[in-house]
Every structure is written in C-alpha cells, then in structure tokens.
Amino acid sequence: MLVSRRIGALSPEERRAFVAEANGRATLAQGVGERARADAERLEDALPLWRGGDVDSADNAGFVRAFLLRLTPEERGSLITRDGRLAAEGAARLRAAVLARAYGDELGPLLDRLLEGDTAGLRGVAGALTDVSARWAQLRQAVMAGEVDAGMDVTADLIGALRTLDEARRLKVAVPELLLQTDLDRPPLTEAGQKMLASFFDQGDPSRRTAARAAIAARLDAYVEEALKVQPPGRDLFGAPPLRPAEILEGARLREAPPAAPVAEEAAPAAAFDFGEEAVDILAARQRAIREATETEAAARPAPQQVATAELLEAQRIAAERDVPVPVGEISADGAAQPTRGARDLLDEAEAEGEQAGQAMLCLIGGAA
C-alpha cells in the first residue's frame, strides 16, 4: 500500500492551504441541470411512493427515503440535517430531479434555465410545471410500463407549447400573431399542443394574459388524472376507441368553466279580452242602476239612534201598564184609598234585601271560622 506522508514542517497559513487543497474536488463540479438528469434516473423506485404536496412533507417521507437510499453515504450527509430531516439543499435537489424526470428529455437547454430561475415571461407556467412534475413523471412511467395508452404521453406537445410562449415573450409579439408565422426551426403545434398552449391562458384564450400558476397546475393535473385511466388498445372490454389527449384537455376546460346563469324570461302580459262596445255599455248601465238604488234605500232608512229611542219608550210604557198595583200599609177605618206600590218595585226591593241577607250570612260564617 502506497502512503503519502508530509516530511517538512508547514506554517499555519501553509497548513490551511494544504488542507483545503487536499479536500477539494479533483474534477469539475456538475452543473445543476446535469446533476438533475443524473438524479432523475434514481427516482424509478421512488415515484410510486409520491403522495402529492411538496417533497419535504410528511406524506412523502417514503418517497424521500427511497431516493436517498440510491445515493452514497457521502452524498446523503449533505442532504439531511442532524436529526434526520431533509435539508433545504436536499429538497431543492429532489425538486430538480423530479422536474428532470418529468420533462428533462424534451426540455433540453430549457431545463437549465428553469432550474437556475431564468424564467422571465414564464414564471407562472414554469411554477405550474414544477407543481405537477411528480404526477407527470408517474404518467410517463405508467406509459413505459404498458399500463396506460402510449398516446397519453404528450410531453413533446406540452414543451412545444412552452417553447412557443417563450419565443413570443422573447420576440415581444402576441402569441396568436406568432402562431400565424411560419418558421422552419419551429414546427407547427399539434392539436394537443394547441390545447396545451391554450391552458396557459385565462379562459383558454391565447389573446388574454397568462393564467395564475395554481390554475395552470390544476388544468395539467386534471389531464394527468384522466390520462391515467386510458388503457392501452385492446384492453378495453367494450372495444371503445380511446380518448384523444386534445379531447381530455377540452373536457377539462369545459368542466372548469362556470355554468352560465339562467336568464329568466319575462312573462308576456296577458292580452286584454275584448267584450265589445255594446257589452261595455250594458255593464256600465247596470252598475249605475245598482249605485242609485243603494243611495235611495239609505236615504229612506231612519237614523239608528231615533229607532232605538222610540223602541225603548214603547217598552217602558207597556211595562208600566202591565205592572200590578199592590196595597201597602193597614186599611183605614174611614174607607179611604189604601196606598199601593207596583209589584215590580216590591220584587226588586225583596231581591235586594235577599242579597244583603246572604252577604251578612257569609260574613258571619267567615268570622266563626
């Protein structure tokens, strides 16, 4: 075994320089894009463990562990903290690896730009591609495994739409205007590519401004969700033709659009029924006759107060005539007329005396008790 040994003495400054040189890399460091492409190959076993969200979430602990096991102990040491959690450098490296796994072979030099943050004019779209990169990588892996129809992998169409948007921003022209131009270096977009490009904009209209990052990510994720259900040809039990990617994208756009509010139709006014002039005249004459008869009858009716007074006087007169005179006191010897009182007065007086006697009895009983 050959061992190198230092013989001469070194000053403190020379010793520090020697240690730094001995621990330095003997080869050039990998670029961020090159390292991401190398890490993308190590994600094959980890992708099925992806559970959504960010790479450093608790749900993705199995995904992170499967990736770290494919690295050397020296590499793992710089990607995790002392308490075993994923460090910020490790999370950034995993995100780059997932992005390269999803689109790296189609992105080409664009991958380095996205990873280095050079996303002028593409920030929302680039962020959305990052957000759905793990799901997109799962879709491509399912296609390679023969579990999903190969036509569902529209990565080339997606990146073609991204390049079109990037070129429009770089040339400072509107996207619809750029699409009308012919360029040998830029092949025309396929139908799926046009739908992908439309998904980058508000309401799917390239003449509008680009949509928010969350909206674009939701559209791409909706495509992946439906594409994963499309089985390879020959595996459909009913023999139905598989959906085309453009149809899936259009369906996702239609589901996203809010339903138009129903417009209430105003009811037409009912047409007036025409009775004819003769019938109208007869009806008016009849109403006039009824009104006149009512006024005549009211004028002939006596006042309610007068009728009541006459009836009361008549009742009093009849009662006085039918009252029976009753003699009171002793009969005088000279035969003079004996004084009398009406029977009604006597009965009323007797009734009053009976009530007073009853009240006196009640008071007596109450005092005894």
CSV table of all heavy atoms in Angstrom, one decimal, residues 51-74:
chain,number,residue,atom,x,y,z
A,51,ARG,N,-46.9,11.1,-2.8
A,51,ARG,CA,-48.3,11.3,-2.3
A,51,ARG,C,-48.8,12.7,-2.5
A,51,ARG,O,-49.8,13.1,-1.9
A,51,ARG,CB,-48.3,10.9,-0.8
A,51,ARG,CG,-48.0,9.5,-0.5
A,51,ARG,CD,-49.1,8.6,-1.0
A,51,ARG,NE,-48.8,7.2,-0.8
A,51,ARG,CZ,-48.2,6.4,-1.6
A,51,ARG,NH1,-47.8,6.8,-2.8
A,51,ARG,NH2,-48.0,5.1,-1.3
A,52,GLY,N,-48.1,13.5,-3.3
A,52,GLY,CA,-48.6,14.9,-3.5
A,52,GLY,C,-48.1,15.9,-2.5
A,52,GLY,O,-47.5,15.5,-1.5
A,53,GLY,N,-48.3,17.1,-2.9
A,53,GLY,CA,-47.7,18.2,-2.0
A,53,GLY,C,-46.3,18.5,-2.3
A,53,GLY,O,-45.8,18.2,-3.4
A,54,ASP,N,-45.5,19.0,-1.3
A,54,ASP,CA,-44.1,19.3,-1.5
A,54,ASP,C,-43.3,18.1,-1.2
A,54,ASP,O,-43.7,17.2,-0.4
A,54,ASP,CB,-43.7,20.5,-0.7
A,54,ASP,CG,-42.5,21.2,-1.3
A,54,ASP,OD1,-41.9,20.7,-2.3
A,54,ASP,OD2,-42.0,22.2,-0.7
A,55,VAL,N,-42.0,18.1,-1.6
A,55,VAL,CA,-41.2,16.9,-1.4
A,55,VAL,C,-40.8,16.7,0.1
A,55,VAL,O,-40.6,15.6,0.5
A,55,VAL,CB,-39.9,17.0,-2.2
A,55,VAL,CG1,-40.1,17.0,-3.7
A,55,VAL,CG2,-39.1,18.3,-1.8
A,56,ASP,N,-40.8,17.8,0.9
A,56,ASP,CA,-40.4,17.7,2.3
A,56,ASP,C,-41.6,17.5,3.2
A,56,ASP,O,-41.5,17.6,4.4
A,56,ASP,CB,-39.6,18.9,2.7
A,56,ASP,CG,-40.3,20.2,2.5
A,56,ASP,OD1,-41.4,20.2,1.9
A,56,ASP,OD2,-39.8,21.2,2.8
A,57,SER,N,-42.8,17.2,2.7
A,57,SER,CA,-44.0,16.9,3.5
A,57,SER,C,-43.9,15.6,4.2
A,57,SER,O,-43.2,14.7,3.7
A,57,SER,CB,-45.3,17.1,2.7
A,57,SER,OG,-45.3,16.0,1.8
A,58,ALA,N,-44.6,15.4,5.3
A,58,ALA,CA,-44.6,14.1,6.0
A,58,ALA,C,-45.1,13.0,5.1
A,58,ALA,O,-44.7,11.8,5.3
A,58,ALA,CB,-45.3,14.3,7.3
A,59,ASP,N,-46.1,13.3,4.3
A,59,ASP,CA,-46.7,12.2,3.4
A,59,ASP,C,-45.7,11.6,2.5
A,59,ASP,O,-45.8,10.5,2.0
A,59,ASP,CB,-47.9,12.8,2.7
A,59,ASP,CG,-49.0,13.2,3.6
A,59,ASP,OD1,-49.1,12.6,4.7
A,59,ASP,OD2,-49.8,14.0,3.2
A,60,ASN,N,-44.7,12.4,2.1
A,60,ASN,CA,-43.7,11.9,1.1
A,60,ASN,C,-42.4,11.4,1.8
A,60,ASN,O,-41.3,11.3,1.1
A,60,ASN,CB,-43.3,13.1,0.2
A,60,ASN,CG,-44.5,13.4,-0.8
A,60,ASN,OD1,-45.2,12.5,-1.3
A,60,ASN,ND2,-44.7,14.7,-1.0
A,61,ALA,N,-42.5,11.0,3.0
A,61,ALA,CA,-41.3,10.5,3.7
A,61,ALA,C,-40.8,9.2,3.0
A,61,ALA,O,-39.6,9.1,2.9
A,61,ALA,CB,-41.6,10.2,5.2
A,62,GLY,N,-41.7,8.4,2.6
A,62,GLY,CA,-41.2,7.2,1.9
A,62,GLY,C,-40.6,7.5,0.6
A,62,GLY,O,-39.6,6.8,0.2
A,63,PHE,N,-41.1,8.5,-0.1
A,63,PHE,CA,-40.5,8.9,-1.4
A,63,PHE,C,-39.1,9.4,-1.2
A,63,PHE,O,-38.2,9.0,-1.9
A,63,PHE,CB,-41.4,10.0,-2.0
A,63,PHE,CG,-40.8,10.7,-3.2
A,63,PHE,CD1,-40.8,10.1,-4.4
A,63,PHE,CD2,-40.2,11.9,-3.1
A,63,PHE,CE1,-40.3,10.7,-5.5
A,63,PHE,CE2,-39.7,12.6,-4.2
A,63,PHE,CZ,-39.7,12.0,-5.4
A,64,VAL,N,-38.9,10.2,-0.2
A,64,VAL,CA,-37.6,10.8,0.1
A,64,VAL,C,-36.6,9.7,0.5
A,64,VAL,O,-35.5,9.6,0.1
A,64,VAL,CB,-37.7,11.9,1.2
A,64,VAL,CG1,-36.3,12.3,1.6
A,64,VAL,CG2,-38.5,13.0,0.7
A,65,ARG,N,-37.1,8.8,1.3
A,65,ARG,CA,-36.2,7.7,1.8
A,65,ARG,C,-35.7,6.8,0.7
A,65,ARG,O,-34.6,6.4,0.6
A,65,ARG,CB,-36.9,6.8,2.9
A,65,ARG,CG,-36.1,5.8,3.6
A,65,ARG,CD,-36.9,5.1,4.6
A,65,ARG,NE,-37.5,6.0,5.6
A,65,ARG,CZ,-38.8,6.2,5.6
A,65,ARG,NH1,-39.6,5.6,4.8
A,65,ARG,NH2,-39.3,7.0,6.5
A,66,ALA,N,-36.7,6.5,-0.3
A,66,ALA,CA,-36.3,5.7,-1.4
A,66,ALA,C,-35.3,6.3,-2.3
A,66,ALA,O,-34.4,5.7,-2.9
A,66,ALA,CB,-37.6,5.3,-2.2
A,67,PHE,N,-35.4,7.7,-2.4
A,67,PHE,CA,-34.4,8.4,-3.3
A,67,PHE,C,-33.0,8.4,-2.6
A,67,PHE,O,-32.0,8.2,-3.2
A,67,PHE,CB,-34.9,9.8,-3.5
A,67,PHE,CG,-33.8,10.7,-4.2
A,67,PHE,CD1,-33.5,10.5,-5.5
A,67,PHE,CD2,-33.2,11.7,-3.4
A,67,PHE,CE1,-32.6,11.3,-6.1
A,67,PHE,CE2,-32.2,12.5,-4.0
A,67,PHE,CZ,-31.9,12.3,-5.4
A,68,LEU,N,-33.0,8.7,-1.3
A,68,LEU,CA,-31.7,8.8,-0.5
A,68,LEU,C,-31.0,7.5,-0.5
A,68,LEU,O,-29.7,7.5,-0.5
A,68,LEU,CB,-32.0,9.3,0.9
A,68,LEU,CG,-32.5,10.8,1.0
A,68,LEU,CD1,-32.7,11.1,2.5
A,68,LEU,CD2,-31.5,11.7,0.4
A,69,LEU,N,-31.7,6.4,-0.5
A,69,LEU,CA,-31.0,5.1,-0.5
A,69,LEU,C,-30.3,4.8,-1.8
A,69,LEU,O,-29.4,3.9,-1.8
A,69,LEU,CB,-32.1,4.0,-0.3
A,69,LEU,CG,-32.7,3.9,1.1
A,69,LEU,CD1,-33.8,2.8,1.2
A,69,LEU,CD2,-31.6,3.6,2.2
A,70,ARG,N,-30.6,5.5,-2.8
A,70,ARG,CA,-29.8,5.3,-4.1
A,70,ARG,C,-28.6,6.2,-4.1
A,70,ARG,O,-27.8,6.1,-5.1
A,70,ARG,CB,-30.7,5.7,-5.3
A,70,ARG,CG,-32.0,4.9,-5.4
A,70,ARG,CD,-31.7,3.4,-5.8
A,70,ARG,NE,-31.0,3.4,-7.1
A,70,ARG,CZ,-31.7,3.3,-8.2
A,70,ARG,NH1,-33.0,3.3,-8.2
A,70,ARG,NH2,-31.0,3.2,-9.4
A,71,LEU,N,-28.3,7.0,-3.1
A,71,LEU,CA,-27.1,7.9,-3.1
A,71,LEU,C,-26.1,7.2,-2.2
A,71,LEU,O,-26.3,6.4,-1.3
A,71,LEU,CB,-27.5,9.2,-2.5
A,71,LEU,CG,-28.6,10.0,-3.3
A,71,LEU,CD1,-28.8,11.4,-2.6
A,71,LEU,CD2,-28.2,10.2,-4.7
A,72,THR,N,-24.8,7.7,-2.3
A,72,THR,CA,-23.8,7.3,-1.5
A,72,THR,C,-23.9,7.9,-0.1
A,72,THR,O,-24.5,9.0,0.0
A,72,THR,CB,-22.4,7.6,-2.1
A,72,THR,OG1,-22.3,9.1,-2.1
A,72,THR,CG2,-22.3,7.1,-3.5
A,73,PRO,N,-23.3,7.3,1.0
A,73,PRO,CA,-23.4,7.9,2.3
A,73,PRO,C,-22.8,9.4,2.3
A,73,PRO,O,-23.3,10.2,3.0
A,73,PRO,CB,-22.5,7.0,3.1
A,73,PRO,CG,-22.6,5.7,2.4
A,73,PRO,CD,-22.6,6.0,1.0
A,74,GLU,N,-21.8,9.6,1.5
A,74,GLU,CA,-21.2,10.9,1.5
A,74,GLU,C,-22.2,12.0,0.9
A,74,GLU,O,-22.3,13.1,1.4
A,74,GLU,CB,-19.9,11.0,0.6
A,74,GLU,CG,-18.8,10.2,1.2
A,74,GLU,CD,-18.9,8.7,1.1
A,74,GLU,OE1,-19.8,8.3,0.2
A,74,GLU,OE2,-18.2,7.9,1.8
